[in-house]
Amino acid sequence: MTQNLNHRLLLQLAKDNFGCGICLEAEKFAAQAIAAMQSSFSAHNPQLADAYALHGDICREIVRSYHGVDLKADYQQRWLHSARAEIACRSLGCDTEALAKVRFRYGRSLAKAGDTRGYNEIEEAMLILERLSEHGNCKPPALDWL
């Protein structure tokens, strides 16, 4: 049934399930929405980037809240994949605070796992924020997610 649903409905189902704490179902709906969007959206579409962000948030919550080493490892990898895809989507557009945020969170996750590439991602996030603040597109108080 869900294969016939459009991406908007799938995303709404993902958001609703995520909001109710039904993360495993939410992840399935988000992944289906992304698959549907990939065939009809351009790679730099902000809606596709937002879908990757939602999928990543769901996967991060599963890693944080659920039990089981294998389950956590699987969803950590799914989150990292979504973060890389979101970075790619947002990078094709232009520098935004959302791009800085995902680079920062992705970098922190890599650094926590002992991967030194994480520090490069964090540095890139800070450079993006610096460029945005120089152009007046980003106010320093908006950095509450750091």
Side-chain angles (χ1 to χ4, degrees):
M1 173 185 153
T2 57
Q3 286 147 340
N4 295 332
L5 301 175
N6 66 34
H7 70 275
R8 287 187 188 122
L9 182 55
L10 289 167
L11 283 174
Q12 189 59 51
L13 289 168
K15 290 175 188 176
D16 293 346
N17 278 277
F18 186 40
C20 293
I22 309 170
C23 296
L24 295 174
E25 282 298 309
E27 188 276 334
K28 289 176 189 173
F29 287 124
Q32 290 172 358
I34 289 169
M37 293 171 80
Q38 285 174 334
S39 63
S40 60
F41 282 64
S42 62
H44 67 283
N45 189 300
Q47 291 178 345
L48 182 57
D50 291 345
Y52 280 120
L54 174 63
H55 185 259
D57 288 344
I58 293 166
C59 291
R60 287 181 73 230
E61 184 59 32
I62 291 170
V63 170
R64 187 182 345 217
S65 303
Y66 285 63
H67 299 288
V69 174
D70 292 340
L71 179 85
K72 287 178 178 267
D74 179 39
Y75 282 94
Q76 179 70 18
Q77 287 304 310
R78 290 180 194 204
W79 178 75
L80 291 174
H81 173 74
S82 285
R84 283 191 300 267
E86 182 186 356
I87 287 169
C89 282
R90 295 198 193 281
S91 294
L92 287 169
C94 60
D95 285 349
T96 62
E97 189 175 342
L99 173 60
K101 181 178 181 178
V102 72
R103 278 198 178 276
F104 182 83
R105 290 170 78 185
Y106 177 59
R108 269 196 4 202
S109 184
L110 288 176
K112 185 178 175 183
D115 190 329
T116 56
R117 292 176 300 168
Y119 299 108
N120 295 336
E121 292 292 333
I122 293 169
E123 181 181 9
E124 182 60 31
M126 296 300 110
L127 290 172
I128 290 168
L129 290 173
E130 184 179 323
R131 287 192 298 265
L132 289 173
S133 65
E134 286 172 1
H135 299 307
N137 296 333
C138 178
K139 296 175 255 167
L143 306 178
D144 60 342
W145 47 265
L146 286 177

Short mmCIF file of all heavy atoms in Angstrom, two decimals, residues 1-10 13 32 36:
data_model
loop_
_atom_site.label_atom_id
_atom_site.label_comp_id
_atom_site.label_asym_id
_atom_site.label_seq_id
_atom_site.Cartn_x
_atom_site.Cartn_y
_atom_site.Cartn_z
N MET A 1 0.82 -1.19 0.00
CA MET A 1 0.00 0.00 0.00
C MET A 1 0.86 1.26 0.00
O MET A 1 0.58 2.20 -0.74
CB MET A 1 -0.91 -0.02 1.22
CG MET A 1 -1.69 1.26 1.40
SD MET A 1 -2.61 1.21 2.93
CE MET A 1 -2.72 2.91 3.29
N THR A 2 1.92 1.29 0.82
CA THR A 2 2.71 2.52 0.95
C THR A 2 3.48 2.85 -0.30
O THR A 2 3.87 4.00 -0.49
CB THR A 2 3.68 2.42 2.14
OG1 THR A 2 4.52 1.30 1.95
CG2 THR A 2 2.94 2.32 3.44
N GLN A 3 3.73 1.89 -1.19
CA GLN A 3 4.46 2.19 -2.41
C GLN A 3 3.64 3.08 -3.33
O GLN A 3 4.18 3.78 -4.17
CB GLN A 3 4.88 0.91 -3.11
CG GLN A 3 6.03 0.26 -2.37
CD GLN A 3 5.99 -1.24 -2.46
OE1 GLN A 3 4.95 -1.82 -2.74
NE2 GLN A 3 7.10 -1.87 -2.18
N ASN A 4 2.32 3.04 -3.22
CA ASN A 4 1.46 3.85 -4.07
C ASN A 4 1.23 5.25 -3.50
O ASN A 4 0.69 6.11 -4.17
CB ASN A 4 0.10 3.17 -4.25
CG ASN A 4 0.25 1.86 -5.01
OD1 ASN A 4 1.16 1.69 -5.81
ND2 ASN A 4 -0.63 0.92 -4.74
N LEU A 5 1.63 5.47 -2.26
CA LEU A 5 1.44 6.78 -1.63
C LEU A 5 2.51 7.73 -2.13
O LEU A 5 3.64 7.37 -2.40
CB LEU A 5 1.54 6.64 -0.11
CG LEU A 5 0.53 5.71 0.54
CD1 LEU A 5 0.82 5.58 2.01
CD2 LEU A 5 -0.89 6.21 0.33
N ASN A 6 2.15 8.99 -2.22
CA ASN A 6 3.15 9.96 -2.68
C ASN A 6 4.10 10.33 -1.55
O ASN A 6 3.86 10.03 -0.38
CB ASN A 6 2.48 11.20 -3.30
CG ASN A 6 1.69 12.01 -2.30
OD1 ASN A 6 2.05 12.11 -1.13
ND2 ASN A 6 0.61 12.59 -2.77
N HIS A 7 5.17 10.99 -1.92
CA HIS A 7 6.22 11.29 -0.95
C HIS A 7 5.74 12.20 0.18
O HIS A 7 6.18 12.06 1.31
CB HIS A 7 7.44 11.89 -1.66
CG HIS A 7 7.21 13.27 -2.18
ND1 HIS A 7 6.64 13.52 -3.41
CD2 HIS A 7 7.47 14.47 -1.63
CE1 HIS A 7 6.55 14.81 -3.59
NE2 HIS A 7 7.05 15.41 -2.53
N ARG A 8 4.81 13.08 -0.10
CA ARG A 8 4.30 13.98 0.95
C ARG A 8 3.58 13.21 2.04
O ARG A 8 3.77 13.46 3.23
CB ARG A 8 3.37 15.03 0.36
CG ARG A 8 4.10 16.07 -0.43
CD ARG A 8 3.16 17.19 -0.85
NE ARG A 8 3.86 18.06 -1.76
CZ ARG A 8 3.47 18.34 -2.99
NH1 ARG A 8 2.37 17.83 -3.45
NH2 ARG A 8 4.18 19.14 -3.74
N LEU A 9 2.76 12.27 1.62
CA LEU A 9 2.04 11.46 2.60
C LEU A 9 3.02 10.59 3.38
O LEU A 9 2.89 10.45 4.60
CB LEU A 9 0.98 10.60 1.90
CG LEU A 9 0.13 9.73 2.82
CD1 LEU A 9 -0.54 10.55 3.91
CD2 LEU A 9 -0.93 9.00 2.00
N LEU A 10 4.00 10.02 2.69
CA LEU A 10 5.00 9.21 3.37
C LEU A 10 5.78 10.03 4.39
O LEU A 10 6.04 9.57 5.52
CB LEU A 10 5.94 8.57 2.36
CG LEU A 10 5.34 7.45 1.51
CD1 LEU A 10 6.25 7.13 0.34
CD2 LEU A 10 5.06 6.22 2.33
N LEU A 13 3.53 10.65 7.35
CA LEU A 13 3.46 9.44 8.18
C LEU A 13 4.74 9.27 9.00
O LEU A 13 4.69 8.87 10.17
CB LEU A 13 3.21 8.21 7.31
CG LEU A 13 1.82 8.09 6.69
CD1 LEU A 13 1.79 6.99 5.63
CD2 LEU A 13 0.78 7.83 7.78
N GLN A 32 11.13 5.33 2.51
CA GLN A 32 10.29 5.18 1.32
C GLN A 32 10.06 6.52 0.64
O GLN A 32 10.05 6.62 -0.59
CB GLN A 32 8.95 4.53 1.69
CG GLN A 32 9.08 3.08 2.08
CD GLN A 32 7.76 2.52 2.63
OE1 GLN A 32 6.77 3.23 2.75
NE2 GLN A 32 7.78 1.24 2.96
N ALA A 36 11.16 7.61 -3.16
CA ALA A 36 10.21 8.18 -4.13
C ALA A 36 10.69 9.54 -4.63
O ALA A 36 10.55 9.86 -5.82
CB ALA A 36 8.83 8.31 -3.50
#
